[in-house]
Amino acid sequence: MLQSLAGLRAVSPESRERDQRAAFLGLVGLIGAATTAICLVLSQFGGVASAIGLGGLILFASAAAGAALGFLFSVPRVLSTGEDPTVTAGGKRGSANNRLMSTNTNMERISEWLTTMIVGVGLSQITSVGGYIQSFTGFLQVRSGATLAAAGPFILVVGLVSGFVFLYLYTRLYLSSLFLHVEQLMSRVGLQDLPKAIDQIRVIAKELAERDNASMMKYIANVDQPSFDHTMYVLNALLYEDRGYEKVLEIGDELEDTAATEMARYWLIMAAANGQRHHNLASLGASDEERAEARKAALRASRKAVLLDNTYKRRLKELSNPKAGDNDLQDFVKDPEFMKIVGQ
């Protein structure tokens, strides 16, 4: 069970890295908040504890302000390429105006306004900085003595610069990739990756439609954008053709890096095709290595189908019955590993 869950929950190294970067930033925020709270408590006491607490408050408050500025100055802009990830009738990507969601750029506009305002106000008030620092040191001297009053401005500048540099660089190096990832996800909402073998699917559907006069095949042969469901329909029909499994495996390999792999039906068809291949290799006197490779591929596809949809155990088991009409997996009726996959 744990292995099955692990298979379902498997994530790519890129996704894991993105999660770790986001979690790290959250951890830094929690540590900073906790440390600030401790410094706030210490500042309420007298003597050294008060000086340490007040110095810590100055450091973390200025670091937070610097981090906010660093983020505002480094917010990435979303640029439009003028194209949406749609697919034309010829199977090529093209432009369209049917995007269902677009990025909310309020953060970008606010960042531009605030950075412009901060720079403008900062330049207009630069002559008053000396007076503000003098007032700040006067407050510290009254509150905690001459030592903190002398170190306070330095602590303030160190915290401000450190916070700015940290979050500016972190946003530019890491958070920008998260923004890009979210933008890519949003740009695909409501759209489906069409199969790479779209032209082959149309040709096969047309041939089957002309031979069998099948209305569904006629529709698939003439539809502008065949879907994955249409593709699975054609591949399933190919399994009933003489050596049709070879074409199924060829097209199936091209679909390995598409969203088809998220469909249990795709893996069921691949299992059946590899089962037919395994059976035919035996009748052709193929080597043990070739048959072992076909067996491995059939078991892998069966395992993937069950992980995506547990009800496919029954369908796989039915395909292993030698007496059934559809017995693509008959060679595995007594295979211990296959029996384990289907729950026997």
Side-chain angles (χ1 to χ4, degrees), residues 223-237:
V223 71
D224 288 338
Q225 296 181 351
S227 66
F228 280 122
D229 286 331
H230 294 149
T231 302
M232 295 305 111
Y233 187 90
V234 173
L235 294 182
N236 186 71

Side-chain angles (χ1 to χ4, degrees), residues 14 25 42 74 84 118 165 212 231 237 265-266 272 276 285 313:
E14 293 81 6
L25 191 59
L42 290 175
S74 61
D84 283 327
I118 288 170
V165 171
D212 302 330
T231 302
R265 186 181 177 190
Y266 164 80
Q276 289 188 15
K313 286 183 178 181

Side-chain angles (χ1 to χ4, degrees), residues 12 18-19 24 34 95 106 130 160 196 211-212 264 309 324 329:
S12 66
R18 284 193 297 266
D19 294 342
F24 172 76
S95 299
N106 288 343
L160 192 65
K196 293 182 177 180
R211 189 193 67 187
D212 302 330
D309 189 341
L329 297 173

Side-chain angles (χ1 to χ4, degrees), residues 278 295 299 316-317 319-322 329-340 342 344:
H278 184 274
R295 173 183 176 274
L299 293 177
L316 288 166
K317 185 179 179 182
L319 290 177
S320 68
N321 184 359
L329 297 173
Q330 59 181 309
D331 292 354
F332 306 102
V333 64
K334 295 182 179 180
D335 189 296
E337 191 170 348
F338 179 79
M339 290 294 103
K340 184 178 179 181
V342 298
Q344 296 293 318

